[in-house]
Amino acid sequence: MTVPPRPDADPPVRPRDDLALMEGYHSPQVDVAVRLNTNEAPEPPPAGFGQRLAVALASLDWHRYPDRAYRSLRQAVADHHGVDPAQVFAANGSNEVLQTLCLAYGGPGRTAAVFEPTYVLHSHIARVTGTGVAMGERGPDFSLDLDEVRRVLAASEPTITFLCSPNNPTGMVERPEVVRQVVAEAPGLVVVDEAYGQFARWSALELVSEDRPLVVTRTFSKTWSMAAARLGYLVGPRWLVAELDKVALPYHLDAVKQLAGTVALDFHDEMRARVAALVEERGRVAAALADLPVDVWPSGANFVLFRPRERDGSEVWKALLDRSVLVRNCASWPRLEGCLRVTIGTRPEDDAFLAALGEILRPGSR
Ligand code: PMP
């Protein structure tokens, strides 16, 4: 039996007042020939990954709960970064890592600081967990401005300060000295979201230590070609990981995902080669964009932010979609008026995008 929706009726039970006022996360999933809107890897994992995983899955104890402490995965991530397994916390995508951080260190009466424009889920997850949000602004070139950071830290005393490097959606890599300074001055925890960290030259991982309230989050969704698996993690001090372990639901990482993550890390050489190829392809796409009537921002990630100079961003986004090319429409986001973000895909996908964009922006092509 289907129950007809009751869009106009008052629901019998209401969520928290603050949730009722919130909007959900919008990123359209539509069938197109060229999908360059969510910064995934353009190719599936290496063939050997699937074969190794299939063998491992054949002896999985389906009737048993998975290893609650995900020891093999933790060890593999720790080995990958040269840290102790007790410094690693993993969850279902780095979004869930961020949520667990907010549950443990945010909550009612506490505040998280963000510097816009940045990854929208930082403030969204903070709000969903009842954490207040203090918003600062990035400078005109979207870099962090230390005076503005100090103003926000002093005004709101945040228990969590979110940084994002490379920043989504602008692509900018934070300068090491700025991150160091924020960590030195922040009154609470500093989270450096490095979902795109492998594409950048510098990582805040080198700053992680037991006496600094700093964590660095990473994901398997981009470089590791495993967005479908939903797996992310952080590296941080042991005392912090111990608190997160209390907050995570028991057995939150299923056995298949634990195996997939562990096996994936054995293919690090292939992944490094793919990152290098994507970085080169990013240079090619950015150079081609520079020949079109668009403003382009330098990127240290696997995407590029650009703004058509003479045409409305949303109109261009729609015209790309009409040509079966999907990019991210940031045109209505604060500070990003008219901007679009394109993920670096395979060479043919990027060529299709560039050809479509060139056609749309050609004088008189309206
Ligand atoms: N952080 C940033 C900056 C992102 O762009 C994304 C994905 N869009 C995530 C975290 C979340 O990644 P996931 O949950 O897939 O690990």
Side-chain angles (χ1 to χ4, degrees), residues 275-290:
V275 168
L278 279 171
V279 167
E280 205 180 314
E281 176 68 356
R282 178 182 76 204
R284 189 182 77 89
V285 171
L289 282 172

Side-chain angles (χ1 to χ4, degrees), residues 334-349:
R335 300 272 316 272
L336 295 175
E337 293 79 13
C339 288
L340 304 176
R341 189 197 68 195
V342 63
T343 304
I344 303 303
T346 60
R347 204 178 162 102
E349 284 174 331

Side-chain angles (χ1 to χ4, degrees), residues 147-182:
D147 288 338
E148 170 72 348
V149 173
R150 288 187 182 114
R151 184 190 68 76
V152 173
L153 297 184
S156 61
E157 289 280 311
T159 54
I160 304 174
T161 299
F162 283 110
L163 305 183
C164 191
S165 179
N167 187 39
N168 180 9
T170 62
M172 179 167 278
V173 183
E174 295 306 346
R175 279 174 296 141
E177 59 275 20
V178 171
V179 175
R180 260 191 213 104
Q181 204 55 35
V182 177

Side-chain angles (χ1 to χ4, degrees), residues 24-30 37-38 326 328 341:
Y25 177 67
H26 295 291
S27 181
Q29 287 193 304
V30 280
N37 66 328
T38 41
L326 180 62
R328 194 69 198 265
R341 189 197 68 195

Side-chain angles (χ1 to χ4, degrees), residues 199-270:
F199 299 100
R201 290 220 185 91
W202 180 76
S203 165
L205 277 166
E206 68 180 43
L207 300 179
V208 171
S209 80
E210 287 304 296
D211 52 11
R212 271 203 199 100
L214 164 73
V215 298
V216 176
T217 62
R218 290 270 173 121
T219 179
F220 279 73
S221 300
K222 319 292 177 185
T223 2
W224 297 98
S225 294
M226 275 174 51
R230 311 301 301 122
L231 180 59
Y233 62 90
L234 66 74
V235 177
R238 293 174 181 78
W239 48 264
L240 178 138
V241 169
E243 298 301 331
L244 300 186
D245 283 340
K246 290 185 208 161
V247 174
L249 292 173
Y251 315 108
H252 69 297
L253 283 185
D254 68 74
V256 176
K257 183 176 331 224
Q258 292 188 34
L259 278 173
T262 311
V263 171
L265 290 169
D266 274 344
F267 291 84
H268 51 85
D269 288 343
E270 285 87 338

